[in-house]
Coordinates of all heavy atoms in Angstrom, one line a residue:
Chain A
V89 N -1.2 13.5 1.7 CA -1.1 12.1 2.0 C -1.8 11.7 3.3 O -2.3 10.6 3.5 CB 0.4 11.7 2.0 CG1 0.5 10.2 2.3 CG2 1.1 12.0 0.7
R90 N -1.8 12.7 4.2 CA -2.5 12.5 5.5 C -3.9 12.0 5.2 O -4.4 11.0 5.8 CB -2.6 13.7 6.2 CG -1.4 14.0 7.1 CD -1.6 15.3 7.9 NE -0.5 15.4 8.8 CZ 0.7 15.7 8.5 NH1 1.0 15.8 7.2 NH2 1.6 15.8 9.4
Y91 N -4.6 12.7 4.4 CA -6.0 12.3 4.1 C -6.1 10.9 3.6 O -7.0 10.1 4.0 CB -6.7 13.3 3.2 CG -8.1 12.9 2.8 CD1 -9.1 13.3 3.7 CD2 -8.4 12.2 1.7 CE1 -10.4 12.9 3.4 CE2 -9.7 11.8 1.4 CZ -10.7 12.2 2.3 OH -12.0 11.8 2.0
I92 N -5.3 10.6 2.6 CA -5.3 9.3 2.0 C -5.1 8.2 3.0 O -5.8 7.2 3.1 CB -4.2 9.2 0.9 CG1 -4.3 10.3 -0.1 CG2 -4.3 7.9 0.2 CD1 -5.6 10.4 -0.9
F93 N -4.0 8.4 3.7 CA -3.6 7.3 4.7 C -4.6 7.2 5.8 O -4.9 6.0 6.2 CB -2.2 7.7 5.2 CG -1.6 6.6 6.0 CD1 -1.7 5.3 5.6 CD2 -0.8 6.9 7.1 CE1 -1.2 4.2 6.4 CE2 -0.2 5.9 7.9 CZ -0.4 4.6 7.5
L94 N -5.1 8.2 6.2 CA -6.1 8.2 7.2 C -7.3 7.2 6.9 O -7.7 6.3 7.6 CB -6.7 9.5 7.6 CG -7.8 9.6 8.6 CD1 -7.4 9.1 9.9 CD2 -8.3 11.1 8.7
H95 N -7.7 7.4 5.7 CA -8.9 6.7 5.2 C -8.5 5.2 4.9 O -9.3 4.3 5.1 CB -9.6 7.4 4.0 CG -10.4 8.5 4.4 ND1 -11.7 8.5 4.6 CD2 -10.0 9.8 4.8 CE1 -12.1 9.7 5.1 NE2 -11.1 10.5 5.1
K96 N -7.3 5.1 4.5 CA -6.8 3.7 4.2 C -6.7 2.9 5.5 O -7.2 1.8 5.7 CB -5.4 3.8 3.5 CG -5.1 2.5 2.7 CD -3.7 2.6 2.2 CE -3.6 3.5 1.0 NZ -2.2 3.5 0.4
L97 N -6.2 3.6 6.5 CA -6.0 3.0 7.8 C -7.4 2.7 8.5 O -7.5 1.6 9.0 CB -5.3 4.0 8.7 CG -4.5 3.4 9.9 CD1 -3.4 2.5 9.4 CD2 -3.8 4.5 10.7
L98 N -8.3 3.6 8.4 CA -9.6 3.4 9.0 C -10.4 2.3 8.3 O -11.3 1.8 8.9 CB -10.4 4.7 9.1 CG -9.7 5.8 10.0 CD1 -10.6 7.0 10.0 CD2 -9.6 5.3 11.4
S99 N -10.1 2.1 7.1 CA -10.9 1.1 6.4 C -10.3 -0.3 6.6 O -10.9 -1.3 6.1 CB -10.9 1.4 4.9 OG -9.6 1.3 4.3
Q100 N -9.1 -0.4 7.3 CA -8.6 -1.7 7.6 C -8.7 -1.8 9.1 O -7.7 -1.5 9.8 CB -7.1 -1.8 7.2 CG -7.0 -1.8 5.7 CD -5.5 -1.9 5.3 OE1 -4.6 -1.8 6.1 NE2 -5.3 -2.2 4.0
P101 N -9.8 -2.2 9.6 CA -10.0 -2.2 11.1 C -9.1 -3.2 11.8 O -8.8 -2.9 13.0 CB -11.5 -2.7 11.2 CG -11.7 -3.5 10.0 CD -10.9 -2.8 8.9
D102 N -8.5 -4.1 11.1 CA -7.6 -5.1 11.8 C -6.3 -4.4 12.3 O -5.7 -4.8 13.2 CB -7.2 -6.2 10.8 CG -7.0 -5.7 9.4 OD1 -8.0 -5.3 8.8 OD2 -5.9 -5.9 8.9
V103 N -6.0 -3.3 11.6 CA -4.8 -2.6 11.9 C -4.9 -1.8 13.2 O -4.0 -1.7 14.0 CB -4.4 -1.6 10.8 CG1 -3.2 -0.7 11.2 CG2 -3.9 -2.4 9.6
N104 N -6.1 -1.2 13.4 CA -6.4 -0.4 14.6 C -6.2 -1.2 15.9 O -6.3 -2.4 15.9 CB -7.8 0.1 14.6 CG -8.1 1.0 13.4 OD1 -7.1 1.5 12.8 ND2 -9.3 1.0 12.9
K105 N -5.8 -0.5 16.9 CA -5.7 -1.1 18.2 C -7.1 -1.7 18.6 O -8.1 -1.0 18.4 CB -5.3 -0.1 19.2 CG -3.8 0.2 19.3 CD -3.5 1.1 20.5 CE -2.0 1.2 20.7 NZ -1.6 2.1 21.8
P106 N -7.1 -2.9 19.1 CA -8.4 -3.5 19.4 C -9.1 -2.9 20.6 O -10.1 -3.5 21.1 CB -7.9 -5.0 19.6 CG -6.6 -4.9 20.1 CD -5.9 -3.7 19.5

Side-chain angles (χ1 to χ4, degrees):
Chain A
V89 180
R90 275 183 171 69
Y91 178 83
I92 308 297
F93 190 35
L94 176 60
H95 285 262
K96 203 184 286 184
L97 204 60
L98 292 179
S99 68
Q100 293 180 350
D102 39 296
V103 170
N104 298 336
K105 277 188 171 177

